[in-house]
Amino acid sequence: MALTLNLPFLRRKPPAPPPDAAAAALRSDRFRLERETDWRRLEDVVARLEKNRLRRISDADLLDLPVLYRQAASSLAVARETSLDAATLDYLEGLVRRAALQVHGPREGFGRWMLRFLGGGWARAVRALWLDICIALAVSLAGTLAGWLLVARDDAWYYALVPAGFGETRQPGATREVLAETLAGTDKAHGLTVLATYLFSNNTGVAIMAFALGFAFGVPTLLLLVHNMAMLGAMLWLFGSVGLLPDFAAWISVHGTTEISAIVLAGAAGLHVGRAMAFPGQRSLLAAVQDAGQRSARVMAGVVIMLICAGLLEGFVRQLVEPTPARFAVGGAMLALWAGYFTLSGRQRA
């Protein structure tokens, strides 16, 4: 059996690396040492962003994040060109990938966006359209009054303003009992569901058209508001002519305070775009329309929410709540809710 002596003076020195490999290792170490401080700083900022710890990131680090990201990306390109060691390449590729997601990726998900939108963004967009809302509201009230006066002067206008889809019972000449029956619960008025469906689909279409037609300088939007609200005025006259005005107002207020408010906001959004096209001010026409379009789009996103709420009120609450005072209470509460939200929400961030 052969013995192996482990004596220091007999140990062989490890073979020296080839000159090229030694130079490459030296170059890689130097490359890493010169930039590693910035890489570590970028890695720390990215790690905090990934953990959603924004408060623990200093303003200087946030401001320098794009610069650090570009430096890391440049270092990665150099490392690939010069064939640096695999560990450095792997580290830089992972770091640049994570940083790119934070710099160019989406900042928030749908849930966070919705919270920010409902937490004040929507209300601020609505308040920014205050002049257009005043115009749309004034035009809507004028249309309602015009519809009432036209039908009161000649009830033939009722057939021109109110579509035949409302049924044969809701027309001039109908008795009080017949009209009262249409305001009762669904178990007493078969046609109520048809009317509710028609109103919901009609008002949804009107809201969308009121916004879309705003691009024609807002004029079609105003005409649409007048026509739609004239129909409401004609129906108010019809029920008022037989002494059922409070009952009809209560019946329609359950969902109407939400639905009509949504239509007015949609009209204001369309009018806002139309005004920007007609009067761009000191800005270019494209810039003015772009700003108005973005602001109006936020308002319209909220209008969709209001129309959904109106549909739920119309489809369920109005069927369950029948007494006139209770219907007024629901409609008034919804009106106060919307008015309070649009007036107060988001003011602390303005």
Side-chain angles (χ1 to χ4, degrees), residues 101-339:
L101 186 62
Q102 297 301 326
V103 173
H104 301 295
R107 296 291 188 274
E108 58 188 2
F110 176 77
R112 183 177 292 275
W113 175 86
M114 182 61 76
L115 287 177
R116 188 166 55 84
F117 179 72
L118 296 178
W122 178 23
R124 286 193 295 273
V126 169
R127 286 197 294 272
L129 272 61
W130 68 270
L131 179 58
D132 308 281
I133 292 174
C134 291
I135 296 174
L137 182 60
V139 170
S140 299
L141 292 176
T144 305
L145 181 61
W148 176 292
L149 294 177
L150 286 173
V151 180
R153 185 180 180 86
D154 183 0
D155 58 12
W157 276 100
Y158 183 87
Y159 302 99
L161 297 175
V162 180
F166 280 175
E168 297 179 354
T169 57
R170 303 179 188 87
Q171 59 183 347
T175 64
R176 188 179 191 280
E177 290 72 20
V178 170
L179 291 177
E181 187 178 358
T182 65
L183 302 180
T186 53
D187 56 335
K188 299 178 181 178
H190 175 69
L192 189 59
T193 304
V194 177
L195 177 60
T197 304
Y198 175 82
L199 287 174
F200 176 70
S201 60
N202 174 74
N203 291 331
T204 302
V206 169
I208 296 174
M209 290 296 293
F211 172 68
L213 293 177
F215 288 90
F217 299 100
V219 176
T221 296
L222 297 178
L223 295 177
L224 187 64
L225 289 177
V226 170
H227 177 265
N228 189 70
M229 299 308 291
M231 180 178 67
L232 176 62
M235 296 191 68
L236 288 171
W237 173 87
L238 175 65
F239 284 88
S241 65
V242 295
L244 291 175
L245 181 59
D247 301 279
F248 177 74
W251 177 80
I252 204 168
S253 70
V254 173
H255 76 281
T257 50
T258 299
E259 202 166 57
I260 294 175
S261 298
I263 292 175
V264 171
L265 288 181
L271 186 61
H272 187 65
V273 176
R275 278 202 314 117
M277 295 180 65
F279 308 103
Q282 300 297 325
R283 299 171 296 175
S284 66
L285 177 61
L286 182 61
V289 172
Q290 183 178 5
D291 290 344
Q294 292 177 351
R295 202 174 296 115
S296 297
R298 286 195 290 271
V299 174
M300 285 303 296
V303 166
V304 173
I305 296 175
M306 294 182 73
L307 290 174
I308 293 174
C309 292
L312 295 175
L313 290 169
E314 190 173 13
F316 297 97
V317 178
R318 195 177 65 184
Q319 315 305 327
L320 300 174
V321 179
E322 188 168 346
T324 295
R327 286 175 169 174
F328 267 130
V330 174
M334 292 306 301
L335 183 60
L337 174 65
W338 294 121

Side-chain angles (χ1 to χ4, degrees), residues 80-97:
R80 285 171 174 168
E81 288 292 330
T82 56
S83 302
L84 294 182
D85 62 276
T88 302
L89 281 174
D90 292 342
Y91 172 78
L92 282 176
E93 286 177 350
L95 178 60
V96 170
R97 192 180 304 114

